[in-house]
């Protein structure tokens, strides 16, 4: 029988309009739960930063522990002992276009369908594979978050844009992504009406379940009269409704839970928005609301405009455009990458600073960070970082150089096994596993 | 102005009904006959032979259709209009409402309620240039949870906000607490509209059962009605556009159900649910004939809700959607303010709209010597000020502008923030105007050499083409893109770039040479058939939300494009040819 954590729908009523702050966490942590490896539950977070890195300013000269921090990686100084740098891995590519396909394949290890193919092709990403492995253990199977998109020109070689918008996939279905921190927060911590009594909350739960149950019946009976493609669509619907129904059914609406957050208040800039999202993931991990998460820190063709955040009055500000003019703007590209890694470091620190009974949340987590390209739109020698202890399975804080350019798919196979999986390869491009993580 | 599609042509009536058309015809007849709610779908086989001698898409004799929007007895003799029985209608996968469709549908379902819940939904997947392609409109759990929140928010606003009392009174038109039959009729009325068809008794029973659930939990009957509304809004029948096949495993085409056809029309032209008139025609079985469809198409295009067609079809096909949100390098382009980019978008939208409202050949999209400007945009173009923020139609004859491709919005959206990118502009013309997109670039494209000694953009691209791997596609794209080098990254006219005079001349694919963009545009327009076939393909893709790539699809494109061309490229005629076509009006199952 799956164990579901009770989550109070009322606990957030204590929240004010301040920004979600991690210091609150320590008081809210569930008391230590025993897991196979002795610490808290294992978690996986996949972070994606777009448009690659200057690899000569990213890659340490030294291998092993105490590697040297080049001018981009220096942003990770505060967490260096928690982060391994993996170099020499190759992106999973089908040969067309620089960004879309390798965003879509970043965590799946499968070449996506070629441009203009009539239907989507991909396989389940590492975060969703892990979510399936621990299905039912937490209220939310996974968290899929990102930053709001800004319209900028550029379509990558005719691909459906889902490939450059989505890193988290359930088979060929991209997982809907939340870009608004307030919505994401409410999804994790509930949005019960203020002032609701126990009876109100119980009634609300009953009525929600009644509707979900009925629409499931309806869709099941519709499914019987459909052909295969249409059934595929209704199956997605059925999966989605069932998941919500399970979650609502498992809520103990009348028991206060010590674990809740403070709803995010107004956010002044993109950095605060990014950090609010990273806080939500950290909080959801700490409270065991979910164990799998991804965060898309922008997509290659869109998203953050660095005018206000980093560069002020003078352009170029668009990350993608800057990444196409490395001849004249490499320093600017590096500045953006350092800013991205500063946010990554913030997330790693947050996980590290939360104790869960003798080990930190970070000790029991694997955080993987990668991009769609490496340097100048190449797919070789990808920038990959791996943080956290994975419950003892990982030895972080080293620079590991791989020879022969193994596909990133092989990394996900090894990560999946470190999380309790048992595979010999991952994704359609996987052809083995990586040792010595 | 009023649109009168009958002025231009009538559709061929021969195709489907001529004798000896084989099993497809027979099944169509059978499916039609079993379609219980549809009188209008009754097929009169005699009607078919009347047009047997005319060509598909021939302009025929306008008088024979009566030239009127009124239904005549001839309508029922002409139920299948321009359906070409030799062409597979293709398959439209079950279509989830996208954000725009969801917002518009709830606006209409809730009688104008001013709330756009889908603005908080994740962005819609886009494929083939549009965000309404059913195949990629996937659904994952978070999206469904957002649907639940949206339903709660909608019902709270519609039923409990005193400011929306008028909406509430239309939805709950009797006293549900006092009268049991009232609850049922209110729920039926809502569900019929929400699901865009007549719900059957078993479905109604399931919905009405929510009243019992709510009262058992201590609520009122009206709480129960609200719960039933929520049920309707979360149902697969609301969130998806459900179309059914009598035999879901059969490849044989059949006419759509009456209500299914009403929804295809409304989502194509309004990105929303059918209105009362469409519902009534569907209910009465009076929609399933070419004349009725033509009349409705014309009526719907003239309705303000057709703004959605401009926003969603033209907005995506012509890349206008992103123009308002564009930002540019303010050091280089301080004048590129939100007000200016908004004016650029409005200009092109108003310009496109003239083709729906006026009888003008669509090829003028490329060559028109007039446009729309307000003071800010006039100043930007160096045109006389119309005097205010309002847009006025002005001549650009004899200036550096001609048609859409030289309008600032398109030129801006196809440029990065700080410079032009001729390759992107060239590729866009090939894919959007001619539907022959260059093949995808390899994944490791060498950057252009932009060092100071690298010369002009033309010289940089010349160097790029020396790489044989790049030459193939760039030989097609670059001359087109370079023709627009006289327009900078915000579409401003210029004669020099970085101190060097601009050479915009080049050679068209067939070897014809041109001096600049204005001459290139004329060359494009000189082959109106290629343009018209491409417009047709784009519109069919949008209308059906599916890919048009196989030989049968080519047949659909050819049929509609021929009708379009013969009507001197009047855009409403193309819209109408599509709504009457077999691709639009019929569907089939698929073998397992």
């Amino acid at each position: 029988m799956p164990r579901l954590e009770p989550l109070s729908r009322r606990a957030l009523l204590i929240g004010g309009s301040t920004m979600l702050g991690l210091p609150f966490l320590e008081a809210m942590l569930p008391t230590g739960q025993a897991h196979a490896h002795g610490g808290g539950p294992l978690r996986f977070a996949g972070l994606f930063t777009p448009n690659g890195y200057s690899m000569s300013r990213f890659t340490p000269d030294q291998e092993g522990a105490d590697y040297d921090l080049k001018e981009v990686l220096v942003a990770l100084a505060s967490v260096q002992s928690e982060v391994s740098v993996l170099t020499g891995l190759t992106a999973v590519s089908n040969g067309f276009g620089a960004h879309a396909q390798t965003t879509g394949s970043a965590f799946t290890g499968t070449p996506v369908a070629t441009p203009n193919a009539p239907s989507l092709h991909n396989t389940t990403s590492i975060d969703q594979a892990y979510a399936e492995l621990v299905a039912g253990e937490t209220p939310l199977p996974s968290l899929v978050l990102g930053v709001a998109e800004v319209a900028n020109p550029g379509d990558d070689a005719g691909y459906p844009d889902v490939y450059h918008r989505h890193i988290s996939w359930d088979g060929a279905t991209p997982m809907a992504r939340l870009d608004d921190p307030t919505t994401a927060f409410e999804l994790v911590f509930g949005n019960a009406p203020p002032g609701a009594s126990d009876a109100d909350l119980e009634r609300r739960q009953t009525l929600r379940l009644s509707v979900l149950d009925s629409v499931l019946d309806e869709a099941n009976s519709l499914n019987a009269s459909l052909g295969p493609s249409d059934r595929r669509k209704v199956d997605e619907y059925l999966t989605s409704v069932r998941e919500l129904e399970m979650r609502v059914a498992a809520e103990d609406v009348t028991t206060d839970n010590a674990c809740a957050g403070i709803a995010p208040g107004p956010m002044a800039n993109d950095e605060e928005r990014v950090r609010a999202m990273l806080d939500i993931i950290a909080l959801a991990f700490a409270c065991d609301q979910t164990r799998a998460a991804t965060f898309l820190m922008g997509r290659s063709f869109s998203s953050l405009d660095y005018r206000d955040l980093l560069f002020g009055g003078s352009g170029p500000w668009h990350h993608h455009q800057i990444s196409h003019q490395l001849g004249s703007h490499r320093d600017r590209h590096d500045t953006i990458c350092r800013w991205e890694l500063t946010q990554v470091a913030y997330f790693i620190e947050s996980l590290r600073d939360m104790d869960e009974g003798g080990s930190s949340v970070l000790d029991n987590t694997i955080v993987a960070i990668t991009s769609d390209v490496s340097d100048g739109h190449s797919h070789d020698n990808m920038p990959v970082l791996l943080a956290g202890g994975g419950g003892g399975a990982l030895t972080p804080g080293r620079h590991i150089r791989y020879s022969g350019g193994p596909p990133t798919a092989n990394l996900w196979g090894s990560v999946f096994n470190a999380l309790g999986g048992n595979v010999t390869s991952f994704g359609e491009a996987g052809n083995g596993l990586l040792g010595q993580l | 102005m009023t649109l009168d599609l009958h002025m231009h042509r009538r559709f061929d009536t021969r195709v489907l009904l001529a004798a000896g058309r084989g099993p497809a015809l027979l099944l169509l007849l059978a499916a039609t006959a079993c379609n219980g709610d549809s009188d209008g779908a009754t097929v009169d086989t005699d009607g078919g032979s009347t047009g047997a001698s005319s060509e598909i898409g021939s302009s025929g004799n306008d008088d024979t259709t009566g030239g009127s929007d009124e239904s005549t007895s001839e309508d029922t003799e002409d139920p299948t209009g321009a359906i070409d029985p030799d062409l597979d209608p293709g398959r439209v996968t079950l279509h989830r409402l996208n954000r725009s469709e969801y917002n518009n549908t709830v606006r209409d379902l809730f009688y104008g309620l001013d709330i756009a819940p889908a603005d908080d939904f994740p962005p819609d997947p886009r494929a083939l240039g549009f965000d309404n392609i059913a195949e990629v409109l996937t659904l994952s759990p978070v999206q469904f949870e957002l649907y639940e929140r949206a339903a709660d928010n909608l019902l709270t606003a519609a039923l409990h906000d005193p400011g929306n009392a008028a909406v509430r009174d239309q939805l709950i038109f009797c006293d549900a607490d006092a009268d049991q039959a009232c609850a049922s009729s209110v729920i039926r009325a809502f569900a019929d509209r929400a699901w865009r068809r007549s719900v059957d008794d078993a479905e109604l029973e399931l919905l009405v059962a929510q009243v019992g659930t709510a009262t058992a939990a201590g609520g009122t009957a009206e709480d129960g009605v609200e719960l039933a509304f929520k049920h309707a809004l979360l149902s697969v029948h609301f969130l998806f556009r459900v179309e059914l096949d009598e035999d879901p495993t059969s490849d044989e085409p059949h006419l759509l159900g009456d209500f299914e056809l009403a929804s295809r029309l409304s989502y194509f032209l309004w990105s929303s649910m059918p209105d009362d008139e469409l519902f009534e025609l569907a209910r009465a079985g009076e929609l399933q004939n070419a004349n009725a469809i033509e009349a409705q198409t014309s009526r719907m295009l003239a309705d303000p809700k057709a703004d959605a067609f401009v926003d969603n079809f033209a907005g995506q096909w012509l890349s206008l959607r992103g123009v308002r949100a564009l930002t540019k390098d303010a050091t280089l382009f301080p004048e590129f303010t939100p007000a200016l980019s908004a004016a650029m978008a409005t200009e092109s939208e108003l310009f496109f709209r003239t083709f729906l409202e006026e009888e003008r050949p669509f090829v003028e999209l490329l060559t028109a010597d007039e446009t729309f400007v307000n003071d800010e945009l006039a100043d930007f173009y160096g045109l006389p000020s119309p005097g205010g923020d309002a847009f006025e139609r002005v001549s650009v004859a004899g200036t550096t502008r001609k048609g859409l491709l030289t309008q600032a919005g398109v030129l801006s959206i196809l440029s990065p923030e700080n410079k032009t990118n001729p390759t992107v502009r060239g590729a866009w013309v090939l894919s959007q105007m001619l539907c022959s997109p260059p093949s995808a670039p390899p994944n490791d494209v060498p950057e252009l050499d932009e060092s100071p000694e690298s010369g002009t953009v033309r010289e940089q691209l010349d160097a790029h083409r020396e790489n044989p791997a790049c030459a193939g596609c760039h030989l097609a794209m670059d001359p087109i893109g370079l023709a627009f080098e006289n327009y900078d990254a915000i579409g401003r006219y210029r004669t020099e770039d970085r101190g060097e005079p601009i050479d915009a001349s080049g050679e068209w694919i067939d070897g014809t040479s041109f001096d600049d963009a204005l001459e290139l545009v004329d060359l494009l327009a000189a082959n109106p058939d290629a343009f018209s076939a491409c417009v047709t393909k784009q519109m069919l893709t949008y209308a059906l939300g599916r890919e048009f790539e196989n030989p049968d699809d080519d047949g659909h494109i050819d049929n509609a494009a021929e009708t379009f061309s013969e009507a001197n490229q009047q855009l409403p005629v193309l819209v109408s040819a599509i709504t009457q076509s077999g691709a639009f009006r019929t569907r089939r199952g698929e073998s397992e």
Side-chain angles (χ1 to χ4, degrees), chain A residues 389-403:
Chain A
L394 268 57
T395 311
R398 298 173 301 142
H399 172 208
I400 308 166
R401 201 190 296 274
Y402 294 95
S403 57

Side-chain angles (χ1 to χ4, degrees), chain B residues 184-498:
Chain B
S184 178
S185 59
V186 163
I187 292 168
R188 183 190 281 277
F190 184 79
D192 279 355
R193 295 171 67 244
W195 296 0
R196 306 168 286 266
R197 61 180 171 81
S198 296
V199 298
D200 67 30
D201 291 341
E203 290 169 331
L204 183 65
E205 201 174 313
L206 202 57
L207 288 159
V208 171
Q210 303 294 356
V211 179
T213 306
T215 49
T220 63
E222 200 169 308
D223 292 338
V225 168
E226 182 171 351
L227 193 65
F229 284 7
K230 179 173 174 178
H231 171 167
L233 290 172
L234 292 184
S235 170
V236 71
H237 297 290
F238 172 75
L239 297 172
F240 288 82
R241 289 164 50 192
V242 176
E243 296 175 348
L244 295 174
D245 304 301
E246 185 78 9
D247 176 358
T249 62
S250 164
D251 290 338
E252 295 297 339
H254 60 89
L255 283 175
L256 293 172
D258 299 74
F259 286 104
E260 293 168 357
L261 177 60
S263 275
R264 278 210 184 176
L265 286 166
S266 69
Y267 283 96
F268 174 31
L269 299 176
W270 292 343
S271 303
S272 185
M273 61 185 273
D275 66 352
D276 288 347
E277 182 166 337
L278 282 167
F279 276 139
E280 264 156 42
L281 286 170
R283 200 169 288 120
E286 287 171 4
L287 191 54
Q288 294 269 16
N289 67 77
N291 287 351
I293 294 170
E294 190 166 351
Q296 287 303 311
T297 303
S298 169
R299 176 182 76 88
M300 292 172 74
L301 281 176
D303 188 286
K305 284 194 273 190
D307 283 355
F309 179 75
V310 178
D311 292 347
N312 295 329
F313 172 64
Q316 295 185 88
W317 171 45
L318 301 175
S319 303
L320 303 176
R321 237 193 208 177
V323 171
R324 286 183 177 82
L326 263 187
T327 54
K328 297 284 180 181
D329 186 332
T331 316
L332 302 172
F333 305 108
E335 57 278 84
F336 195 83
T337 60
L340 182 65
S341 62
M344 290 173 176
T346 303
E347 173 197 14
S348 298
E349 288 161 0
L350 289 171
F351 177 65
F352 177 82
R353 199 180 289 268
T354 63
F355 294 95
L356 288 173
E357 293 168 351
E358 299 167 16
E359 291 171 16
R360 62 189 305 203
F362 197 56
V363 74
E364 289 180 10
L365 188 86
L366 302 170
T367 58
D369 59 4
E370 51 175 31
T371 192
F372 291 83
V373 291
N374 62 2
D375 275 358
E376 182 157 10
L377 198 56
D379 187 46
F380 175 82
Y381 282 140
L383 294 167
S385 289
D389 289 339
F391 281 79
E392 250 179 50
R393 194 167 184 158
V394 296
S395 168
V396 293
T399 72
T400 56
R401 309 282 162 174
K402 181 188 271 192
L404 180 96
L405 301 185
T406 61
Q407 290 177 7
V410 173
L411 291 163
S412 295
I413 192 108
L414 297 174
S415 303
E417 59 183 325
N418 56 359
K419 57 174 196 156
T420 60
N421 186 333
T423 302
V424 169
R425 285 175 174 174
W428 187 90
V429 169
L430 288 172
S431 72
Q432 302 307 99
M433 299 294 110
L434 299 173
C435 293
S436 51
S439 61
N443 55 14
D444 198 1
V445 178
E447 294 294 322
L448 291 184
D449 178 4
E450 295 183 331
S451 56
E453 58 277 13
S454 65
T456 63
V457 175
R458 177 180 289 273
E459 285 160 346
Q460 291 166 18
L461 283 169
D462 286 347
H464 189 71
R465 279 195 307 275
E466 283 169 15
N467 182 340
C470 307
C473 290
H474 281 269
L475 277 173
M477 297 184 289
D478 294 350
I480 300 173
L482 288 165
F484 293 95
E485 269 302 284
N486 284 128
Y487 308 91
D488 68 12
I490 61 170
R492 193 172 39 190
Y493 190 76
R494 62 183 181 177
T495 53
E496 289 186 354
D497 180 24
R498 295 186 295 174

Side-chain angles (χ1 to χ4, degrees), chain A residues 347-380:
Chain A
F347 179 61
I348 293 170
E349 285 171 18
S350 303
L351 298 178
R352 184 190 64 193
D353 294 345
M354 294 187 294
D355 181 84
E356 50 183 1
S359 57
S360 72
V361 174
L362 183 63
D363 290 335
N364 302 312
T365 300
I366 297 177
V367 184
I369 301 104
T370 189
S371 187
D372 49 337
V373 294
S374 60
D375 197 333
H377 296 77
S378 163
H379 289 160
D380 297 327

